[in-house]
Amino acid sequence: MVNVDGQSLEILRKRTSAKWNTASHDVLPMPVAEMDFEIDPAIKARLHALVEASDTGYAGNLVELRTNLASYAKLAWNWELDPEQVYACGDVGVGMIETGRAVTKPGEKVMINTPVYMNMRNWASRLNLEVVDAQMIKNGMHYTLDFDAIEAGYKLGVKAHFFCNPHNPTGTVFTKEELSRLADLAKQYGVIVLSDEIHAPITYEKGAFVPFLNVSENAREVGICVTSASKAWNLAGLKCAQIITQHPKMHAVIESMPMGVRFSASHFGVHAGAVAFTCTDWLDAAMVTLDRNRKFLAKELAEKLPQVNYRVPDCSYLSWLDVTALDLGEDPSKTILERGKLLVSNGILFGPQSQSYVRLNFGTSAEIISQGVDRLVLAAKR
């Protein structure tokens, strides 16, 4: 197996992505959901070949992207996709907004389940939708869906559900039974479930992740999936996601969207995504490192800062930390930055109940994780 691991700080500080150019050099950035790994050589080779040929025009309808995603979905999740029902778009945010625009009208209601990826509220705002928040049930540091709250919200007239599967930032991977129950409720109340599945390939237990559309006929009738290779293969800046349908009603919804949505994907992103879905050896190696890292973070916290509550996540490379016991004030992320020179994501952005939480990215090296925890310790000191 190839070795995939975090690069050194010396190399990383030469990067110009948002993670690395928004803070001064004395700050260690660990908020943004991108990894500190080198990308797969096959993806590099495709990108180099495009540049070498001055092939830098608009993205075309690359069949390879659709067929390779279908092959990967079959391999990873035993999910049979029709490549003709896979559409490219600029990124998952674009896909969620535009599918949301296609199934709602301004002023209607959309559901989210906080704590959840902060941009879901932003997407709702962009569409002038009223947010109905069916908050997750918290048991210790494990979060599950509150179906009573979901049904109550659906009864209020929710038209669409921005659903995060698997769940960011809590690291929850929903079961087939939970997803089936959600699909049945959505069918009963006429709700369209827009399932953001960008973190799906980064699930640690083989077979644990279930694509929403692969759950039942009801799920296919009420669901649209938006996904991408960007998180799992570290390609976010190349701007390419996929919108997937598996039912004539949902297919008609996507066909009704402006043609410009499909042409919002970048040429480089389409090609990189097509190659990425074949790079399973690289992803397997990355998952070995991420599995080590999620457990190493638990060990570091237990030894150096046991007051912090952390549940090893079932998916992604994002840790959800309860720092309540550290008494870091109204904005713990600000205090952590000021005292410890560590940049993390502010918990309140993910939901009103998460003011005393922060999100920290462990898609990096063990050395940087250790430094990050040391900086948390500094922030905790009076």
Side-chain angles (χ1 to χ4, degrees):
M1 181 182 291
V2 296
N3 181 48
V4 177
D5 205 343
Q7 295 179 295
S8 69
L9 265 177
E10 181 182 7
I11 293 173
L12 292 169
R13 293 213 182 269
K14 295 176 183 177
R15 291 188 179 184
T16 58
S17 63
K19 180 177 179 180
W20 291 98
N21 76 350
T22 55
S24 58
H25 268 41
D26 61 338
V27 171
L28 185 64
M30 301 183 76
V32 182
E34 61 182 69
M35 292 185 284
D36 296 341
F37 301 165
E38 282 194 74
I39 62 173
D40 187 278
I43 299 174
K44 281 187 181 181
R46 176 67 67 91
L47 295 173
H48 288 164
L50 292 173
V51 173
E52 191 64 30
S54 297
D55 187 1
T56 56
Y58 293 108
N61 184 17
L62 190 68
V63 174
E64 182 188 7
L65 174 64
R66 294 183 279 120
T67 56
N68 286 358
L69 170 56
S71 295
Y72 176 77
K74 175 64 176 175
L75 175 69
W77 308 305
N78 197 31
W79 183 21
E80 297 278 0
L81 293 184
D82 176 5
E84 294 301 316
Q85 292 199 58
V86 176
Y87 307 84
C89 63
D91 57 30
V92 166
V94 169
M96 294 290 282
I97 289 171
E98 294 303 330
T99 53
R101 195 188 310 278
V103 300
T104 63
K105 297 175 182 177
E108 292 184 331
K109 296 179 175 66
V110 64
M111 177 171 285
I112 62 173
N113 309 107
T114 64
V116 74
Y117 177 52
M118 70 283 280
N119 275 321
M120 288 195 167
R121 283 191 183 275
N122 296 336
W123 300 338
S125 178
R126 285 277 300 275
L127 296 171
N128 295 311
L129 299 175
E130 178 186 342
V131 170
V132 175
D133 182 7
Q135 295 186 8
M136 303 273 280
I137 295 172
K138 182 174 177 287
N139 182 9
M141 287 294 287
H142 181 56
Y143 292 76
T144 55
L145 293 172
D146 185 337
F147 285 100
D148 289 339
I150 289 171
E151 184 167 16
Y154 282 5
K155 285 180 178 179
L156 293 174
V158 164
K159 296 297 182 182
H161 187 164
F162 285 159
F163 186 56
C164 196
N165 176 42
H167 198 262
N168 167 22
T170 68
T172 296
V173 177
F174 301 111
T175 65
K176 184 175 182 179
E177 290 71 26
E178 288 173 307
L179 298 174
S180 180
R181 185 176 177 185
L182 181 66
D184 292 347
L185 283 172
K187 173 74 181 295
Q188 179 180 348
Y189 292 100
V191 177
I192 305 301
V193 178
L194 307 178
S195 187
D196 171 356
E197 300 188 359
I198 195 169
H199 292 277
I202 321 171
T203 301
Y204 294 97
E205 182 184 342
K206 188 174 179 61
F209 171 75
V210 182
F212 183 71
L213 299 183
N214 206 30
V215 165
S216 66
E217 188 57 32
N218 278 350
R220 288 183 280 277
E221 184 175 346
V222 303
I224 298 173
C225 170
V226 186
T227 191
S228 175
S230 62
K231 287 292 180 278
W233 284 273
N234 217 34
L235 305 173
L238 296 181
K239 293 297 180 184
C240 179
Q242 294 79 50
I243 303 171
I244 304 169
T245 61
Q246 287 194 289
H247 190 277
K249 285 170 60 176
M250 296 298 100
H251 182 68
V253 168
I254 303 307
E255 287 288 333
S256 74
M257 289 164 53
M259 187 173 293
V261 175
R262 302 183 203 177
F263 285 96
S264 62
S266 85
H267 188 47
F268 287 156
V270 167
H271 278 269
V275 176
F277 287 121
T278 71
C279 296
T280 53
D281 286 349
W282 185 95
L283 181 60
D284 288 345
M287 290 301 295
V288 169
T289 299
L290 295 175
D291 182 36
R292 177 203 71 195
N293 286 358
R294 65 179 180 145
K295 296 168 183 173
F296 179 67
L297 175 59
K299 179 175 178 290
E300 286 284 289
L301 288 170
E303 292 177 355
K304 299 176 181 178
L305 212 56
Q307 309 98 301
V308 172
N309 289 321
Y310 162 60
R311 176 181 175 270
V312 175
D314 300 318
C315 66
S316 87
Y317 42 85
L318 303 169
S319 59
W320 188 234
L321 307 181
D322 178 359
V323 296
T324 304
L326 301 184
D327 193 20
L328 297 175
E330 292 186 1
D331 184 350
S333 65
K334 182 179 178 181
T335 304
I336 290 167
L337 178 59
E338 290 174 349
R339 295 182 187 171
K341 300 298 181 182
L342 175 68
L343 189 58
V344 292
S345 297
N346 186 350
I348 197 69
L349 297 175
F350 300 86
Q353 72 277 56
S354 302
Q355 184 172 349
S356 296
Y357 290 71
V358 297
R359 193 189 72 175
L360 179 144
N361 180 343
F362 58 79
T364 187
S365 66
E367 291 76 16
I368 288 177
I369 293 169
S370 184
Q371 285 189 43
V373 174
D374 288 343
R375 290 174 184 238
L376 270 179
V377 172
L378 282 176
K381 290 181 177 179
R382 299 289 174 173

